[in-house]
Amino acid sequence: MSHNEMDDLIQDFILESSEIIDQLDQDLVELEHRKNDLDLLNKIFRAAHTIKGSSSFLGFDKMSTVTHYAEEILNKLRKGEMVVVPEIMDILLEFVDVIKRILEDIKNGSDTVNIDQIVKKLKLANEGKVSVASSATAVESDKKQPKVEQKDEGEGAQLKKATKAIEQTIRVDVSRLDSLMNLVGELVLSRNRIAQISSELERKFEGDYLVEQLLETTSQIGLITTELQLAVMKTRMVPIGKVFNKFPRMIRDLARDLKKEVDLIITGEDTELDKSVVEEIGDPLVHMIRNAVDHGIESPEERIKKGKPAKGKVHLAAYHEGNHIVIEITDDGKGMDPEKLKKKAIEKKVITPEEAKGMSKEEAFGLIFKPGFSTAEKVTGVSGRGVGMDVVKTNIEKLNGIISIESEIDKGSVFKLKLPLTLAIIQALLVDVSGEVFAIPLVSVIETVRINENEIHNFEGREVLKLRDSVLSLVRLDDVFGLEGSFSQDIYVVVVALAEKRIGLVVDRLVGQEEIVIKSLGEYLSGNVGIAGATIMGDGKVRLILDVSGVMEIATKMPKKIKKGKSLKKPNVSSGNMVNVLVVDDSSTDRKIMKRLLSSSGWINCVEVTNPHDAITATQDLKIDLLITDVMMPDIDGFELARILRERGFDKPIIAVSGRGEAAAGQKAKISGINAFMPKPINLQEMLNKIDELIGVNR
């Protein structure tokens, strides 16, 4: 490895460790108030584990040694083998102070910190031999200690050179790039809006010269905006080689420690992705590479017995796939045995024997991501704590990434990570659920399937779908968000994945694919599980962006139930004079207002549906006396709905309502078979008079 590459690594280590140590300080103080918070303990443990791994790789032995002993204590705390007491916390906080001073030494190329005292205290604490007095003299003893260790000249010179490189580096504040990206995001929204308006004008004034000029200009603006967006995104892009560069040395040292022979092959290191993604992907890759060498590659003797070359291979590859980057870690080692994984998981009480019986091969592979799960027979500096792959899963989920595993016994394993190129402007699949449109990040979408309700089965109180050779758990988004269900028998399933998990989201229809800009919901609305943010569509409407991780979390907590099925709610006709009105509107608010107004009359029963498809089903299955439809609806508008119903023999009166006056253009309404038009907002008395008039004529 060249000096420049090593300098870059040390620089990154200093920046990353500073942030981790600051957070560690806060979290340890918080732990004194939340002694039984397992999530907080796991977070602290992962932080210590990351510092230990990075410092060990770079040869900062003092930091690695101190953190190792602190990690032993944290591991016992999270396993319940030790309890959080003030004396333990004093030592852990002293440990943080010491590694802060060690980091300062690394920055300055000096060596002033003596770790003997803190190591002694950490060892005693780990053995349960801690006293109140021992922690009282914590910082003082270290301050009085003279410098007792000397770095060799090579390491000191290397650190000084790195420090000089840091001083000479000019860093552009990422907030400036973020600001620029936000402005481009706003431009993308405006472009989408102009394109939508241009399309509507083209439909209305087809052939008009000015409209044609507007379309041409809109197209040009779209091209320029796309170019600008790509240019700005490129300023935030860094080659993934920045992360990959640390692995050859790590593999070498790890192989020597484990007495294995491993050859690392790297391809695609020039592949670029967003800086924010690079920062998040470093830790998961470290753990996955270590996992491949420790658990995957066999010893030379074992490999020779199996007829393999003594030297194992780990292949690290990166490449673009659409708007995603794919990273593959492949090894030619022992592979994974699903049955052994299940047996180990049962031993560690990660799953029950009943759960193990119904697990597929892919689900068994997914067990390695469970907190506390490890196949190592004993705890070493490399593995055995069950924390590494948990870190991988946590970080990949934050990025809305997907992990897939392929493994064959004695052939090897392939871990594939699929990540978004950027986190600001994304491609999304728009879906309709009970009249509401949601955006699902396309990076999480595996495929979409159109099915009939009859293809859905019930297994142990959960809805599932047999999709080719696998069974897919289903989640109805109308249940998740408390929306009214639709009544169409033909529905869509969007198969989504997050990290190693797969589920099917049941939606009414697919609206399309669009480039969207993620906007925060703000402090007041943030924290809604299942919602990642919002975006503004081309028609000016705000649509919610699904957080696939949150939806999965909600789904696991939903009560089990018998298969839902879909059926129309029959109108409650109490006398022969009641009129049954079907209200069709994609807006939940408008439907509720209309139902409240009409029901207040005392002689009207209302049935609501969210889309024209359900309306067609309702007119066939129910006794409907009159239909009220909104004009401006996606997919099929009110005019088209009326025309379809008339062609199918529906002879009851149809009233169209719209907030746009031009919809009253009489000729189109008459051709479609609409009997009357009412503008929004609705005047109750006028609407009741019109219904009375049409029903009277019809009867």
Side-chain angles (χ1 to χ4, degrees), residues 402-677:
I402 298 169
I403 306 174
S404 61
I405 305 173
E406 296 173 17
S407 188
E408 197 174 335
I409 298 171
D410 287 334
K411 297 284 185 183
S413 303
V414 180
F415 287 77
K416 184 186 277 190
L417 307 184
K418 191 175 182 181
L419 304 163
L421 280 178
T422 179
L423 303 178
I425 301 173
I426 63 169
Q427 291 288 331
L429 176 67
L430 304 179
V431 298
D432 183 294
V433 182
S434 302
E436 299 290 339
V437 175
F438 293 93
I440 304 174
L442 206 59
V443 70
S444 300
V445 177
I446 302 296
E447 63 177 313
T448 58
V449 187
R450 186 175 182 178
I451 64 167
N452 189 277
E453 276 286 338
N454 298 325
E455 295 177 58
I456 296 178
H457 305 282
N458 193 270
F459 179 72
E460 295 183 350
R462 301 288 186 195
E463 289 184 311
V464 297
L465 171 69
K466 192 172 188 308
L467 187 61
R468 292 184 285 278
D469 297 327
S470 61
V471 176
L472 185 71
S473 295
L474 298 181
V475 178
R476 293 184 185 267
L477 287 183
D478 54 2
D479 282 349
V480 170
F481 296 113
L483 302 171
E484 298 171 26
S486 70
F487 307 110
S488 174
Q489 290 297 304
D490 293 319
I491 55 176
Y492 289 88
V493 173
V494 180
V495 183
V496 296
L498 185 74
E500 83 290 4
K501 292 176 286 199
R502 308 279 190 280
I503 62 166
L505 304 178
V506 179
V507 302
D508 296 335
R509 67 188 184 93
L510 308 178
V511 178
Q513 179 181 332
E514 192 164 321
E515 193 171 54
I516 63 169
V517 180
I518 300 175
K519 296 287 184 184
S520 168
L521 290 174
E523 189 177 340
Y524 182 70
L525 291 174
S526 64
N528 284 294
V529 181
I531 302 297
T535 190
I536 303 170
M537 306 306 298
D539 58 4
K541 292 182 179 176
V542 175
R543 300 299 188 190
L544 296 175
I545 303 167
L546 291 189
D547 172 21
V548 176
S549 173
V551 171
M552 287 183 173
E553 184 184 330
I554 294 171
T556 57
K557 295 175 182 176
M558 290 177 71
K560 295 184 178 182
K561 60 181 181 181
I562 299 170
K563 182 178 174 181
K564 182 178 178 180
K566 294 190 176 185
S567 60
L568 280 166
K569 196 173 180 181
K570 305 286 184 184
N572 179 24
V573 183
S574 55
S575 74
N577 294 324
M578 295 296 285
V579 174
N580 300 321
V581 174
L582 179 66
V583 177
V584 189
D585 201 316
D586 61 321
S587 166
S588 175
T589 303
D590 286 355
R591 287 197 310 274
K592 285 183 172 63
I593 291 171
M594 184 70 76
K595 182 175 182 179
R596 194 172 297 165
L597 286 171
L598 297 180
S599 299
S600 67
S601 68
W603 52 275
I604 294 176
N605 281 319
C606 270
V607 179
E608 303 172 61
V609 292
T610 63
N611 60 74
H613 300 288
D614 284 353
I616 294 166
T617 304
T619 56
Q620 294 168 347
D621 295 351
L622 302 178
K623 179 184 177 296
I624 301 296
D625 297 317
L626 181 138
L627 184 144
I628 298 175
T629 179
D630 185 32
V631 171
M632 302 302 294
M633 292 186 291
D635 195 18
I636 299 175
D637 64 17
F639 296 126
E640 181 68 10
L641 172 61
R643 187 187 63 76
I644 293 170
L645 289 175
R646 293 307 187 205
E647 286 177 357
R648 296 189 178 204
F650 182 73
D651 59 357
K652 302 300 182 184
I654 298 176
I655 298 176
V657 295
S658 176
R660 303 188 178 197
E662 71 269 19
Q667 193 60 29
K668 191 171 182 180
K670 286 178 184 175
I671 293 171
S672 302
I674 291 171
N675 299 86
F677 173 81

Side-chain angles (χ1 to χ4, degrees), residues 199-269:
S199 298
E200 289 180 13
L201 286 171
E202 184 186 20
R203 282 196 297 269
K204 187 172 181 181
F205 302 106
E206 192 174 351
D208 186 280
Y209 174 74
L210 287 176
V211 172
E212 287 179 357
Q213 292 295 302
L214 176 63
L215 286 169
E216 189 179 319
T217 306
T218 302
S219 176
Q220 186 66 19
I221 289 172
L223 287 171
I224 294 169
T225 304
T226 302
E227 289 294 324
L228 180 61
Q229 178 190 332
L230 291 172
V232 173
M233 283 171 63
K234 199 159 182 64
T235 63
R236 289 180 54 90
M237 295 285 187
V238 292
I240 199 165
K242 189 177 174 67
V243 178
F244 284 7
N245 285 344
K246 68 176 75 171
F247 297 130
R249 168 74 187 275
M250 187 184 83
I251 289 279
R252 174 189 170 279
D253 293 347
L254 197 56
R256 283 172 66 89
D257 290 345
L258 297 171
K259 294 180 173 56
K260 293 181 179 182
E261 295 179 24
V262 184
D263 191 13
L264 176 65
I265 303 161
I266 295 178
T267 56
E269 59 265 43

Side-chain angles (χ1 to χ4, degrees), residues 195-399:
Q196 178 94 7
I197 293 168
S198 299
S199 298
E200 289 180 13
L201 286 171
E202 184 186 20
R203 282 196 297 269
K204 187 172 181 181
F205 302 106
E206 192 174 351
D208 186 280
Y209 174 74
L210 287 176
V211 172
E212 287 179 357
Q213 292 295 302
L214 176 63
L215 286 169
E216 189 179 319
T217 306
T218 302
S219 176
Q220 186 66 19
I221 289 172
L223 287 171
I224 294 169
T225 304
T226 302
E227 289 294 324
L228 180 61
Q229 178 190 332
L230 291 172
V232 173
M233 283 171 63
K234 199 159 182 64
T235 63
R236 289 180 54 90
M237 295 285 187
V238 292
I240 199 165
K242 189 177 174 67
V243 178
F244 284 7
N245 285 344
K246 68 176 75 171
F247 297 130
R249 168 74 187 275
M250 187 184 83
I251 289 279
R252 174 189 170 279
D253 293 347
L254 197 56
R256 283 172 66 89
D257 290 345
L258 297 171
K259 294 180 173 56
K260 293 181 179 182
E261 295 179 24
V262 184
D263 191 13
L264 176 65
I265 303 161
I266 295 178
T267 56
E269 59 265 43
D270 293 331
T271 307
E272 292 189 332
L273 71 166
D274 194 277
K275 183 179 184 297
S276 57
V277 180
V278 167
E279 288 168 352
E280 295 289 345
I281 199 60
D283 280 350
L285 287 178
V286 167
H287 290 293
M288 293 179 81
I289 295 286
R290 288 165 69 92
N291 191 67
V293 176
D294 188 28
H295 295 286
I297 303 295
E298 310 96 328
S299 65
E301 298 78 18
E302 194 178 342
R303 289 180 66 85
I304 290 167
K305 281 181 187 176
K306 292 178 179 178
K308 295 181 178 182
K311 182 178 277 191
K313 286 185 180 178
V314 175
H315 186 191
L316 180 59
Y319 56 89
H320 283 132
E321 193 177 87
N323 287 316
H324 312 125
I325 184 172
V326 177
I327 300 171
E328 288 184 359
I329 299 102
T330 308
D331 69 71
D332 66 347
K334 65 180 78 167
M336 292 189 288
D337 185 340
E339 296 307 316
K340 283 186 180 177
L341 289 174
K342 287 192 269 190
K343 185 180 176 184
K344 198 77 175 177
I346 293 168
E347 283 176 16
K348 291 185 173 286
K349 298 182 178 175
V350 174
I351 58 169
T352 63
E354 291 72 28
E355 288 173 326
K357 284 178 187 175
M359 273 190 167
S360 65
K361 185 169 75 169
E362 289 75 19
E363 288 171 328
F365 291 153
L367 289 170
I368 66 173
F369 298 107
K370 298 282 187 185
F373 181 82
S374 176
T375 56
E377 297 301 325
K378 60 180 181 178
V379 176
T380 66
V382 178
S383 64
R385 302 181 193 282
V387 68
M389 299 308 279
D390 180 30
V391 171
V392 173
K393 180 185 172 185
T394 304
N395 285 43
I396 299 303
E397 282 183 350
K398 275 199 291 186
L399 295 170

